[in-house]
């Protein structure tokens, strides 16, 4: 496969017009890419459609797809100065993409992809760009089968965040603690909240019988019938009592009631027993 089989653009709408059918055909498999483009469109809407990369002093994002005989077979996005996200690709397509991006002089601090694609791309990137790679984090993607509450169900109840006056401060505190636990480099406070990935989600607290919040779960806006649970967090002092499972059931049940066809959840493979389905590669050297 040739590197020029990859079609590149800076136009979000043009990219989605060409690849939307492909991405929506398997929305669970492509939920990371779909979520990323939803966020890009939301940012454009917030900026009134006038905020360009040149105006903000940032480098221009690049989007791409590979096709054969008019059929899209994979996509990628690159959001400088950050990394790139790849849908599942054959080794040949991953190799051709690495050759194309290396030829353009792209700098990739990291690449996010399924395990096989990540490995193939890393091998090709080392060959074309002369830069090695190492696994930074491995994630497992779970899809809800039968919704089964924990047994026994812990004492307490789930409730929507926002019912009480102190909920927003509690929510930001826990999102900040969650980010620290998973080593996300993000500032979370009243001034930055709207610009973080933690905003624009629906959150639920699990609270003890005396009304003390003990765990939380968030759900992203539904995309192509898929509801993604993120994040799930329980402070260390409350762990081991089933609260996280209970609040996850609460938000999953609500998502299904709202019309979700699939409910998914990413976990860190370092804390899971299943085979990782997504890998993040550090390609900075």
């Amino acid at each position: 496969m040739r590197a020029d089989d990859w079609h590149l653009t800076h136009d979000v709408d043009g990219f989605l017009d060409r690849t939307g059918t492909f991405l929506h055909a398997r929305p669970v498999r492509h939920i990371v890419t779909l979520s990323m483009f939803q966020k890009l469109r939301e940012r454009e809407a917030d900026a009134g459609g006038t905020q360009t990369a040149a105006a903000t002093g940032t480098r221009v994002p690049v989007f791409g797809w590979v096709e054969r005989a008019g059929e899209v077979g994979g996509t990628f996005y690159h959001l400088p100065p950050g990394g790139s996200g790849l849908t599942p690709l054959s080794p040949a397509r991953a190799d051709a993409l690495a050759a194309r991006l290396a030829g353009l002089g792209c700098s990739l601090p990291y690449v996010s992809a399924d395990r096989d694609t990540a490995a193939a791309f890393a091998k090709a990137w080392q060959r074309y760009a002369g830069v090695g790679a190492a696994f930074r984090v491995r994630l497992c993607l779970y899809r809800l089968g039968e919704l089964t509450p924990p047994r026994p169900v812990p004492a307490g109840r789930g409730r929507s965040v926002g019912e009480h006056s102190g909920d927003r401060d509690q929510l930001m505190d826990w999102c900040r603690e969650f980010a620290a636990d998973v080593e996300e480099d993000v500032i979370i406070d009243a001034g930055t909240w709207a610009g973080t990935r933690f905003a624009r989600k629906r959150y639920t607290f699990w609270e003890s019988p005396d009304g003390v919040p003990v765990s939380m779960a968030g759900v992203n806006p539904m995309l192509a019938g898929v509801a993604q649970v993120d994040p799930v967090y329980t402070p260390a002092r409350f762990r081991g009592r089933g609260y996280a499972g209970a609040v996850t059931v609460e938000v999953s049940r609500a998502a299904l009631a709202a019309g979700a066809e699939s409910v998914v959840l990413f976990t860190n493979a370092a804390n899971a027993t299943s085979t990782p389905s997504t890998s993040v590669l550090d390609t900075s050297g």
Side-chain angles (χ1 to χ4, degrees):
M1 175 165 285
R2 305 187 311 271
D4 57 7
D5 286 333
W6 279 91
H7 303 268
L8 307 184
T9 183
H10 302 301
D11 178 18
V12 174
D13 291 331
F15 170 85
L16 292 175
D17 286 345
R18 188 67 194 90
T19 65
T21 299
F22 167 78
L23 293 171
H24 283 81
R26 303 184 72 177
V28 171
R29 185 182 182 96
H30 299 143
I31 190 59
V32 173
T33 297
L34 289 168
S35 297
M36 177 57 66
F37 280 95
Q38 178 69 17
K39 291 174 184 176
L40 287 174
R41 282 185 150 174
E42 288 174 354
R43 290 171 188 169
E44 284 188 351
D46 287 345
T50 61
Q51 204 171 34
T52 65
T56 58
T58 60
R59 294 174 61 189
V60 178
V62 180
F63 317 113
W65 68 93
V66 62
E67 63 179 78
R68 181 68 61 86
E71 183 177 351
V72 175
T75 73
F76 89 97
Y77 61 81
H78 177 42
L79 306 176
S84 293
L86 284 59
T87 58
L89 301 172
S90 68
R93 286 172 169 169
D95 184 278
L97 177 60
R100 185 72 182 274
L101 296 181
L104 293 173
C106 290
S107 175
L108 302 180
Y110 63 86
V111 169
S112 177
D114 71 279
R115 182 177 58 183
D116 292 341
T117 300
F121 185 89
K123 182 178 179 180
W125 189 248
Q126 184 168 17
R127 182 164 62 254
Y128 294 118
V131 178
F135 282 110
R136 199 167 79 189
V137 62
R138 292 182 176 181
L139 305 175
C140 296
L141 176 60
Y142 292 90
R143 181 177 182 177
L144 177 66
E146 181 180 354
L147 186 61
T148 305
R151 291 287 184 263
V153 176
R157 69 179 185 103
R159 68 167 178 84
S160 297
V161 173
E163 292 181 4
H164 298 169
S165 60
D167 281 357
R168 189 166 186 268
D169 289 340
Q170 178 73 83
L171 177 62
M172 284 193 292
D173 285 346
W174 280 1
C175 286
R176 188 160 48 244
E177 291 172 16
F178 171 85
D181 277 0
V182 298
E183 299 181 354
E184 286 190 28
D185 185 13
V186 61
I187 296 173
I188 301 175
D189 56 31
T192 62
W193 174 256
T196 70
R197 75 174 187 84
F198 297 98
R200 295 181 175 174
K201 301 173 187 278
R202 298 190 315 275
Y203 287 93
T204 297
F205 284 155
W206 188 267
E207 62 180 17
S208 63
D210 56 357
V212 175
V214 292
S215 188
M216 73 165 186
V219 178
N220 291 346
M222 196 183 312
L223 276 173
V226 180
Q228 181 182 344
V229 179
D230 172 62
V232 177
Y233 178 71
T234 304
R237 63 188 181 280
F238 297 131
R239 292 173 188 169
R241 308 178 196 182
Y243 297 142
V247 75
T248 301
V249 166
E250 285 288 309
V251 297
S252 298
R253 182 183 289 121
L256 293 172
E261 298 173 8
S262 300
V263 179
V264 300
L265 168 68
F266 281 101
T267 66
N268 190 319
N271 298 314
T273 58
S274 63
T275 301
S277 60
T278 297
S279 300
V280 177
L281 279 168
D282 186 343
T283 58
S284 57

